[in-house]
Amino acid sequence: MRERLIVALDVPNLNKGKELIDILEDEVIYYKVGLELFLNTRGEIIDYLKAKNKKIFLDLKFHDIPNTVASASKWATSLGVDMFNVHAGGGEEMLKRAKEAVQEVALRESINPPLLIGVTVLTSFSEEGFKSLGFKTTIPETVQKWALMCKKAGLDGVVSSPQEAQEIKRLCGADFYTVCPGVRPLEAEKGDQKRVMTPKEAVTNGADYLVVGRPINASADPLLAAKNIITEMEER
Ligand code: C5P
């Protein structure tokens, strides 16, 4: 289960990132680097994590015209991360071009291709907030449609709420990865997350990877919080 917990390094600078990684010791193997830390460390956090032999999910959610996303995907692959994501809302052509870019660079540089993951509807959206964007389909319908499109474009999986994981597995197959933020142990604050589940429920509902941020990085005892989450995941 430890391999399936991804801790979101949502911290304001490199020193805070290093501090958290040190506190979490060998308990945490996989880290997610998002916009905040990637930008404020100018990418340096990636080198630090690699030096520490950690696995890296680069969460920059590329969403642009196909050509631009293909170029960005080449650079992400070159960094040697284990997983990165593009936004499913960018459409099938964009997704396909990202996949081709990953394959091209992995072959050229003789490296393992990172998992390419499509972001579906953000877990901070409620049905009401989502409708206000003009979508005519519900969140679950949209997530399913985008997951199928990602599968067709050759992606390895999607980011979704754990609430949607089971249906995605049914539609796209057991080997199509579900990467799920919106995980909250029972006693934790929800913050801005709306479509949440506990670690145990998430694993039971088909989530392959659990992305957890504030319940660990804002905890008074992050190591204990991470241990408790892994224990809960194992209880499924
Ligand atoms: O603090 P919390 O556990 O809510 O952190 C969740 C992390 O997952 C954040 O870094 C957020 O950017 C990310 N994320 C998300 N919803 C998505 C994709 C990524 O919350 N659909």
mmCIF file of all heavy atoms in Angstrom, residues 8 10 32 59 61 85 119-124 159-160 181-184 190 192-193 211-215 217, ligand 1:
data_model
loop_
_atom_site.group_PDB
_atom_site.id
_atom_site.type_symbol
_atom_site.label_atom_id
_atom_site.label_comp_id
_atom_site.label_asym_id
_atom_site.label_seq_id
_atom_site.Cartn_x
_atom_site.Cartn_y
_atom_site.Cartn_z
ATOM 1 N N ALA A 8 1.182 14.861 -1.670
ATOM 2 C CA ALA A 8 1.274 16.122 -2.426
ATOM 3 C C ALA A 8 2.196 17.077 -1.679
ATOM 4 O O ALA A 8 1.922 17.465 -0.550
ATOM 5 C CB ALA A 8 -0.118 16.734 -2.569
ATOM 6 N N ASP A 10 2.626 20.144 -1.391
ATOM 7 C CA ASP A 10 2.099 21.503 -1.558
ATOM 8 C C ASP A 10 2.665 22.391 -0.460
ATOM 9 O O ASP A 10 2.002 22.669 0.536
ATOM 10 C CB ASP A 10 0.561 21.486 -1.523
ATOM 11 C CG ASP A 10 -0.022 20.756 -2.714
ATOM 12 O OD1 ASP A 10 0.622 20.750 -3.785
ATOM 13 O OD2 ASP A 10 -1.116 20.181 -2.586
ATOM 14 N N LYS A 32 4.067 13.979 -5.078
ATOM 15 C CA LYS A 32 3.503 14.756 -6.170
ATOM 16 C C LYS A 32 4.048 16.179 -6.101
ATOM 17 O O LYS A 32 3.970 16.841 -5.067
ATOM 18 C CB LYS A 32 1.981 14.798 -6.061
ATOM 19 C CG LYS A 32 1.325 15.587 -7.179
ATOM 20 C CD LYS A 32 -0.174 15.510 -7.081
ATOM 21 C CE LYS A 32 -0.764 16.542 -6.180
ATOM 22 N NZ LYS A 32 -0.707 17.925 -6.676
ATOM 23 N N ASP A 59 2.653 17.043 -11.407
ATOM 24 C CA ASP A 59 1.236 17.423 -11.570
ATOM 25 C C ASP A 59 1.149 18.855 -12.093
ATOM 26 O O ASP A 59 0.887 19.784 -11.334
ATOM 27 C CB ASP A 59 0.553 17.276 -10.200
ATOM 28 C CG ASP A 59 -0.899 17.734 -10.205
ATOM 29 O OD1 ASP A 59 -1.544 17.684 -11.263
ATOM 30 O OD2 ASP A 59 -1.385 18.147 -9.130
ATOM 31 N N LYS A 61 -0.657 19.459 -15.035
ATOM 32 C CA LYS A 61 -1.937 19.481 -15.765
ATOM 33 C C LYS A 61 -1.864 20.272 -17.068
ATOM 34 O O LYS A 61 -2.549 21.302 -17.230
ATOM 35 C CB LYS A 61 -3.041 20.080 -14.895
ATOM 36 C CG LYS A 61 -3.309 19.327 -13.601
ATOM 37 C CD LYS A 61 -4.510 19.908 -12.882
ATOM 38 C CE LYS A 61 -4.810 19.235 -11.574
ATOM 39 N NZ LYS A 61 -3.808 19.448 -10.508
ATOM 40 N N ASN A 85 0.759 14.530 -15.857
ATOM 41 C CA ASN A 85 -0.623 14.584 -16.332
ATOM 42 C C ASN A 85 -0.900 15.711 -17.326
ATOM 43 O O ASN A 85 -0.179 16.712 -17.387
ATOM 44 C CB ASN A 85 -1.603 14.644 -15.155
ATOM 45 C CG ASN A 85 -1.335 15.782 -14.198
ATOM 46 O OD1 ASN A 85 -0.515 16.651 -14.477
ATOM 47 N ND2 ASN A 85 -2.018 15.786 -13.075
ATOM 48 N N VAL A 119 -6.344 14.282 -16.568
ATOM 49 C CA VAL A 119 -7.136 14.863 -15.473
ATOM 50 C C VAL A 119 -8.583 14.976 -15.944
ATOM 51 O O VAL A 119 -8.859 15.551 -16.995
ATOM 52 C CB VAL A 119 -6.608 16.269 -15.090
ATOM 53 C CG1 VAL A 119 -7.442 16.873 -13.957
ATOM 54 C CG2 VAL A 119 -5.143 16.202 -14.695
ATOM 55 N N THR A 120 -9.506 14.434 -15.161
ATOM 56 C CA THR A 120 -10.932 14.573 -15.525
ATOM 57 C C THR A 120 -11.490 15.787 -14.772
ATOM 58 O O THR A 120 -10.854 16.826 -14.765
ATOM 59 C CB THR A 120 -11.710 13.265 -15.230
ATOM 60 O OG1 THR A 120 -11.624 12.983 -13.838
ATOM 61 C CG2 THR A 120 -11.153 12.104 -16.051
ATOM 62 N N VAL A 121 -12.642 15.657 -14.161
ATOM 63 C CA VAL A 121 -13.229 16.828 -13.479
ATOM 64 C C VAL A 121 -12.586 16.968 -12.089
ATOM 65 O O VAL A 121 -12.552 16.014 -11.318
ATOM 66 C CB VAL A 121 -14.762 16.670 -13.341
ATOM 67 C CG1 VAL A 121 -15.358 17.888 -12.635
ATOM 68 C CG2 VAL A 121 -15.396 16.468 -14.709
ATOM 69 N N LEU A 122 -12.065 18.154 -11.797
ATOM 70 C CA LEU A 122 -11.373 18.379 -10.530
ATOM 71 C C LEU A 122 -12.266 18.027 -9.338
ATOM 72 O O LEU A 122 -13.477 18.282 -9.365
ATOM 73 C CB LEU A 122 -10.924 19.841 -10.416
ATOM 74 C CG LEU A 122 -9.924 20.315 -11.474
ATOM 75 C CD1 LEU A 122 -9.633 21.798 -11.286
ATOM 76 C CD2 LEU A 122 -8.636 19.509 -11.426
ATOM 77 N N THR A 123 -11.623 17.440 -8.325
ATOM 78 C CA THR A 123 -12.405 16.998 -7.156
ATOM 79 C C THR A 123 -12.927 18.164 -6.319
ATOM 80 O O THR A 123 -13.680 17.959 -5.380
ATOM 81 C CB THR A 123 -11.548 16.063 -6.271
ATOM 82 O OG1 THR A 123 -10.247 16.636 -6.161
ATOM 83 C CG2 THR A 123 -11.444 14.690 -6.862
ATOM 84 N N SER A 124 -12.506 19.384 -6.656
ATOM 85 C CA SER A 124 -13.023 20.554 -5.928
ATOM 86 C C SER A 124 -14.367 21.022 -6.507
ATOM 87 O O SER A 124 -15.000 21.911 -5.947
ATOM 88 C CB SER A 124 -11.998 21.693 -5.994
ATOM 89 O OG SER A 124 -11.598 21.913 -7.325
ATOM 90 N N VAL A 159 -6.919 10.953 -13.501
ATOM 91 C CA VAL A 159 -7.123 11.506 -12.164
ATOM 92 C C VAL A 159 -8.622 11.698 -12.015
ATOM 93 O O VAL A 159 -9.273 12.271 -12.889
ATOM 94 C CB VAL A 159 -6.428 12.882 -12.000
ATOM 95 C CG1 VAL A 159 -6.725 13.461 -10.618
ATOM 96 C CG2 VAL A 159 -4.931 12.775 -12.214
ATOM 97 N N SER A 160 -9.172 11.200 -10.921
ATOM 98 C CA SER A 160 -10.602 11.391 -10.682
ATOM 99 C C SER A 160 -10.841 11.371 -9.173
ATOM 100 O O SER A 160 -9.923 11.083 -8.401
ATOM 101 C CB SER A 160 -11.405 10.254 -11.317
ATOM 102 O OG SER A 160 -11.263 9.075 -10.542
ATOM 103 N N PRO A 181 -7.135 12.124 -5.882
ATOM 104 C CA PRO A 181 -7.093 13.075 -4.768
ATOM 105 C C PRO A 181 -8.486 13.107 -4.128
ATOM 106 O O PRO A 181 -9.345 12.307 -4.498
ATOM 107 C CB PRO A 181 -6.754 14.404 -5.448
ATOM 108 C CG PRO A 181 -6.984 14.204 -6.901
ATOM 109 C CD PRO A 181 -7.336 12.781 -7.168
ATOM 110 N N GLY A 182 -8.704 14.031 -3.197
ATOM 111 C CA GLY A 182 -10.019 14.066 -2.557
ATOM 112 C C GLY A 182 -10.121 12.935 -1.546
ATOM 113 O O GLY A 182 -11.167 12.319 -1.373
ATOM 114 N N VAL A 183 -8.996 12.639 -0.872
ATOM 115 C CA VAL A 183 -8.975 11.589 0.142
ATOM 116 C C VAL A 183 -8.891 12.253 1.510
ATOM 117 O O VAL A 183 -8.022 13.090 1.741
ATOM 118 C CB VAL A 183 -7.765 10.650 -0.062
ATOM 119 C CG1 VAL A 183 -7.697 9.613 1.049
ATOM 120 C CG2 VAL A 183 -7.833 9.992 -1.433
ATOM 121 N N ARG A 184 -9.797 11.892 2.382
ATOM 122 C CA ARG A 184 -9.829 12.500 3.708
ATOM 123 C C ARG A 184 -10.090 11.439 4.764
ATOM 124 O O ARG A 184 -11.163 10.829 4.763
ATOM 125 C CB ARG A 184 -10.964 13.546 3.781
ATOM 126 C CG ARG A 184 -10.694 14.806 2.956
ATOM 127 C CD ARG A 184 -9.588 15.627 3.600
ATOM 128 N NE ARG A 184 -9.268 16.829 2.855
ATOM 129 C CZ ARG A 184 -8.345 16.914 1.893
ATOM 130 N NH1 ARG A 184 -7.651 15.852 1.534
ATOM 131 N NH2 ARG A 184 -8.098 18.058 1.288
ATOM 132 N N LYS A 190 -12.183 18.874 5.297
ATOM 133 C CA LYS A 190 -12.329 18.670 3.848
ATOM 134 C C LYS A 190 -11.624 19.766 3.043
ATOM 135 O O LYS A 190 -11.243 19.574 1.905
ATOM 136 C CB LYS A 190 -13.815 18.634 3.464
ATOM 137 C CG LYS A 190 -14.386 17.215 3.609
ATOM 138 C CD LYS A 190 -15.882 17.117 3.502
ATOM 139 C CE LYS A 190 -16.499 17.408 2.203
ATOM 140 N NZ LYS A 190 -17.934 17.144 2.111
ATOM 141 N N ASP A 192 -11.168 22.620 0.501
ATOM 142 C CA ASP A 192 -11.961 22.946 -0.692
ATOM 143 C C ASP A 192 -12.385 21.701 -1.471
ATOM 144 O O ASP A 192 -12.975 21.796 -2.539
ATOM 145 C CB ASP A 192 -11.187 23.912 -1.603
ATOM 146 C CG ASP A 192 -9.816 23.385 -1.982
ATOM 147 O OD1 ASP A 192 -9.449 22.272 -1.526
ATOM 148 O OD2 ASP A 192 -9.109 24.077 -2.730
ATOM 149 N N GLN A 193 -12.053 20.502 -0.976
ATOM 150 C CA GLN A 193 -12.413 19.278 -1.695
ATOM 151 C C GLN A 193 -13.880 18.948 -1.457
ATOM 152 O O GLN A 193 -14.366 19.031 -0.326
ATOM 153 C CB GLN A 193 -11.538 18.098 -1.232
ATOM 154 C CG GLN A 193 -10.053 18.274 -1.518
ATOM 155 C CD GLN A 193 -9.688 18.076 -2.988
ATOM 156 O OE1 GLN A 193 -10.558 18.038 -3.870
ATOM 157 N NE2 GLN A 193 -8.405 17.952 -3.271
ATOM 158 N N VAL A 211 -3.821 10.344 -3.722
ATOM 159 C CA VAL A 211 -3.026 11.572 -3.615
ATOM 160 C C VAL A 211 -3.498 12.338 -2.381
ATOM 161 O O VAL A 211 -4.658 12.751 -2.317
ATOM 162 C CB VAL A 211 -3.209 12.455 -4.872
ATOM 163 C CG1 VAL A 211 -2.428 13.762 -4.705
ATOM 164 C CG2 VAL A 211 -2.775 11.716 -6.125
ATOM 165 N N VAL A 212 -2.635 12.487 -1.403
ATOM 166 C CA VAL A 212 -3.036 13.130 -0.148
ATOM 167 C C VAL A 212 -2.128 14.323 0.134
ATOM 168 O O VAL A 212 -0.901 14.185 0.139
ATOM 169 C CB VAL A 212 -2.978 12.130 1.028
ATOM 170 C CG1 VAL A 212 -3.470 12.799 2.306
ATOM 171 C CG2 VAL A 212 -3.800 10.887 0.725
ATOM 172 N N GLY A 213 -2.743 15.461 0.354
ATOM 173 C CA GLY A 213 -1.980 16.672 0.653
ATOM 174 C C GLY A 213 -2.141 17.105 2.086
ATOM 175 O O GLY A 213 -1.467 16.615 2.990
ATOM 176 N N ARG A 214 -3.094 18.013 2.317
ATOM 177 C CA ARG A 214 -3.228 18.655 3.627
ATOM 178 C C ARG A 214 -3.381 17.720 4.821
ATOM 179 O O ARG A 214 -2.825 18.017 5.884
ATOM 180 C CB ARG A 214 -4.371 19.692 3.573
ATOM 181 C CG ARG A 214 -3.953 20.944 2.816
ATOM 182 C CD ARG A 214 -5.132 21.771 2.355
ATOM 183 N NE ARG A 214 -5.860 21.104 1.275
ATOM 184 C CZ ARG A 214 -6.897 21.638 0.637
ATOM 185 N NH1 ARG A 214 -7.327 22.832 0.983
ATOM 186 N NH2 ARG A 214 -7.490 20.968 -0.333
ATOM 187 N N PRO A 215 -4.092 16.569 4.694
ATOM 188 C CA PRO A 215 -4.167 15.696 5.876
ATOM 189 C C PRO A 215 -2.785 15.248 6.364
ATOM 190 O O PRO A 215 -2.625 14.887 7.525
ATOM 191 C CB PRO A 215 -4.985 14.502 5.373
ATOM 192 C CG PRO A 215 -5.833 15.074 4.295
ATOM 193 C CD PRO A 215 -4.954 16.104 3.602
ATOM 194 N N ASN A 217 0.493 17.070 5.024
ATOM 195 C CA ASN A 217 1.452 18.184 5.102
ATOM 196 C C ASN A 217 1.018 19.335 6.017
ATOM 197 O O ASN A 217 1.834 20.174 6.374
ATOM 198 C CB ASN A 217 1.887 18.668 3.703
ATOM 199 C CG ASN A 217 0.736 19.128 2.849
ATOM 200 O OD1 ASN A 217 -0.177 19.757 3.344
ATOM 201 N ND2 ASN A 217 0.787 18.821 1.551
HETATM 202 O O1 C5P B 1 -4.618 18.882 0.273
HETATM 203 P P1 C5P B 1 -5.326 17.907 -0.602
HETATM 204 O O2 C5P B 1 -5.283 16.482 -0.076
HETATM 205 O O3 C5P B 1 -6.712 18.352 -0.978
HETATM 206 O O4 C5P B 1 -4.435 17.899 -1.937
HETATM 207 C C1 C5P B 1 -4.837 17.279 -3.115
HETATM 208 C C2 C5P B 1 -3.810 17.514 -4.160
HETATM 209 O O5 C5P B 1 -4.251 16.898 -5.362
HETATM 210 C C3 C5P B 1 -3.539 18.972 -4.487
HETATM 211 O O6 C5P B 1 -2.153 19.076 -4.720
HETATM 212 C C4 C5P B 1 -4.302 19.240 -5.766
HETATM 213 O O7 C5P B 1 -3.625 20.148 -6.601
HETATM 214 C C5 C5P B 1 -4.323 17.865 -6.403
HETATM 215 N N1 C5P B 1 -5.424 17.572 -7.289
HETATM 216 C C6 C5P B 1 -6.754 17.643 -6.927
HETATM 217 N N2 C5P B 1 -7.760 17.343 -7.798
HETATM 218 C C7 C5P B 1 -7.460 16.931 -9.025
HETATM 219 C C8 C5P B 1 -6.109 16.842 -9.412
HETATM 220 C C9 C5P B 1 -5.126 17.160 -8.497
HETATM 221 O O8 C5P B 1 -7.071 17.967 -5.788
HETATM 222 N N3 C5P B 1 -8.430 16.573 -9.842
#
